[in-house]
Amino acid sequence: MGRFHRHDDGTVHAHDTRNDHDHEQEHATGDHSGYATGGERVEVLERIFDENDKTAAANRAEFAAAGVRVVNLMSSPGAGKTTLLRETLARLADRVRVGIIEGDIETSLDADKLAGFGAEVALINTGNGFGGECHLDAPMVRSALPRLPLGDLDLVLIENVGNLVCPAEFDVGEDARAMVYAITEGEDKPLKYPVMFRSCGLVVVNKVDLLPYLGFDMEGFLGNLRKVNPAAEVMLVSARTGEGVGAWCDWLRALP
Amino acid sequence: MHELSICGSIADIVTRRAAGRAVKVINVRVGQLRQVVPDTLVYCWELVSADTPLAGSRISIEAVPARIRCRSCDQVTDVGAVPVFACGGCGGFDAEVVSGEEFLITSLELEPFFPDDAGLMAPHQGTGKEGSQGGVASS
């Protein structure tokens, strides 16, 4: 692997565990490739997500100025995000002014399911362009803002693209991240997708109405979750039967 | 899976920083906790850079392992391939990530400015008379 690298004075060493920022400063003139190419080297040291993060900060400022709380809701496909949102709107829509930003690779199927609850829904189809995107990024969310009356809203729920990998990498300007995890997905997912599970403050464990039929090892799952994110809050929910949905709604309303 | 859009961001940064000069190698540092598949990134770069001024350049990846430092006993622990964010010393879970979240372009390796400038950049290879003509590079 490329951890070992060479400096202009000929020394070679491995990366250690210091803060990466300090590391960049210290080695600003070092040869980080570990091989000689004979070309002229220009230091860059630029974060690849910098553009996205700047736009996320702009989104966050706009949400804050409008007094809106924003939750980025993520999960694998089929875990139950849309069903949970339907139940959420059914319970909250007459008390909390909710807007939805709906990310989907193709179709308006999810947005259609959420229509009729009095919430404003802005759909982002990410399928445009080269191959379609597997996540929402900050510029995509920004493009949806003109279609939401932020000044008239209390809460915006962003339904991200169903995917346990890519959405975790992109700050979109949210105040909190939550994920919906269905017990049909198996106990090992926190270990396989640690970045996603680490990035969320709340894990909604959905489809618990199926517990009697699945042989799901809840303690094993919670143990795996704690290995990657010991601070995560956990709620047991069945969006289908409504069990636990009230606690989820309370969590949304209590967002700081 | 998001390597294509990442390559778009890389192309923006490289185009700006290279300022028109031909790029040979883009050195990228990727932490283990960044969900970037090196082979996929290299392949997507070929797709994204094709038919652009960056065609022919390649991405070289420096991987950085994930490590945590325990807030209780200060021990540094490798997170490991099957990730466990627990201290290897005391077993505690109150730990901060100290490496593995890096994702940046560290440097570019560029071709010489113009073929005509090759002589200026290597003055020992020719006499002043040859160099003063400012014409065809000898290489």
Side-chain angles (χ1 to χ4, degrees):
Chain A
M1 306 292 272
R3 286 175 50 209
F4 294 91
H5 60 220
R6 183 181 302 110
H7 287 257
D8 292 341
D9 63 3
T11 58
V12 176
H13 75 174
H15 276 269
D16 62 16
T17 57
R18 285 166 297 178
N19 176 286
D20 189 59
H21 182 70
D22 296 342
H23 192 91
E24 288 160 25
Q25 298 301 318
E26 180 187 348
H27 297 311
T29 58
D31 179 345
H32 284 260
S33 70
Y35 55 84
T37 60
E40 184 190 347
R41 176 184 300 269
V42 176
E43 296 296 336
V44 176
L45 297 178
E46 203 164 319
R47 293 168 57 250
I48 291 166
F49 285 137
D50 208 36
E51 258 328 291
N52 181 77
D53 292 350
K54 281 179 188 161
T55 307
N59 291 350
R60 189 167 281 119
E62 198 159 329
F63 292 137
V68 181
R69 290 277 161 257
V70 181
V71 177
N72 185 358
L73 189 62
M74 302 181 281
S75 81
S76 55
K81 289 188 300 301
T82 310
T83 305
L84 180 64
L85 286 180
R86 267 180 67 94
E87 293 306 308
T88 306
L89 292 180
R91 284 167 172 74
L92 284 185
D94 57 345
R95 288 174 289 167
V96 180
R97 298 169 298 173
V98 184
I100 306 274
I101 295 175
E102 179 65 49
D104 226 335
I105 291 180
E106 297 288 352
T107 81
S108 63
L109 290 174
D110 284 358
D112 297 344
K113 285 181 199 159
L114 296 173
F117 288 95
E120 300 284 346
V121 180
L123 175 67
I124 305 172
N125 271 147
T126 62
N128 300 330
F130 194 14
E133 288 294 358
C134 42
H135 60 271
L136 293 180
D137 63 20
M140 285 186 239
V141 168
R142 188 147 196 83
S143 74
L145 297 190
R147 286 178 277 141
L148 285 179
L150 287 183
D152 299 330
L153 298 177
D154 305 309
L155 177 68
V156 170
L157 301 172
I158 300 174
E159 182 175 350
N160 217 309
V161 180
N163 181 340
L164 284 186
V165 180
C166 315
E169 297 278 355
F170 293 88
D171 182 5
V172 297
E174 70 275 33
D175 295 303
R177 286 184 176 192
M179 68 176 291
V180 179
Y181 159 84
I183 60 170
T184 48
E185 298 177 61
E187 297 88 354
D188 56 355
K189 290 299 174 291
L191 302 181
K192 290 186 174 178
Y193 303 94
V195 178
M196 171 62 75
F197 280 88
R198 278 178 64 76
S199 81
C200 292
L202 170 67
V203 178
V204 174
V205 177
N206 192 24
K207 308 192 184 181
V208 294
D209 53 309
L210 298 178
L211 274 171
Y213 313 106
L214 291 180
F216 179 75
D217 177 7
M218 184 67 81
E219 278 311 307
F221 166 75
L222 294 174
N224 289 338
L225 175 61
R226 278 193 291 271
K227 284 178 185 172
V228 301
N229 187 356
E233 203 173 333
V234 175
M235 278 178 197
L236 304 188
V237 167
S238 168
R240 193 174 72 85
T241 67
E243 179 184 349
V245 176
W248 153 252
C249 291
D250 292 343
W251 182 88
L252 288 173
R253 298 183 70 183
L255 278 175
Chain B
M1 281 188 271
H2 50 306
E3 282 80 358
L4 265 179
S5 64
I6 286 170
C7 282
S9 299
I10 292 175
D12 291 343
I13 294 171
V14 172
T15 300
R16 173 162 46 77
R17 297 297 285 256
R21 297 181 60 180
V23 178
K24 287 199 293 191
V25 181
I26 301 146
N27 290 309
V28 177
R29 185 180 298 160
V30 184
Q32 179 190 336
L33 297 176
R34 291 297 180 179
Q35 305 173 103
V36 174
V37 181
D39 287 351
T40 310
L41 192 67
V42 167
Y43 173 67
C44 288
W45 181 250
E46 289 179 22
L47 293 179
V48 169
S49 64
D51 302 322
T52 79
L54 295 173
S57 63
R58 66 180 177 83
I59 285 181
S60 173
I61 294 173
E62 172 198 4
V64 183
R67 295 203 175 109
I68 56 170
R69 177 183 288 122
C70 179
R71 289 197 179 93
S72 302
C73 72
D74 214 37
Q75 176 157 328
V76 170
T77 306
D78 273 10
V79 167
V82 176
V84 177
F85 291 79
C87 175
C90 68
F93 282 106
D94 186 16
E96 60 174 339
V97 172
V98 289
S99 76
E101 292 182 330
E102 303 83 352
F103 192 35
L104 67 157
I105 300 175
T106 52
S107 64
L108 306 177
E109 287 162 37
L110 305 175
E111 301 282 5
F113 212 149
F114 296 112
D116 285 1
D117 287 342
L120 296 176
M121 297 178 71
H124 308 303
Q125 291 177 355
T127 66
K129 186 179 174 184
E130 290 163 6
S132 67
Q133 294 173 356
V136 179
S138 58
S139 61

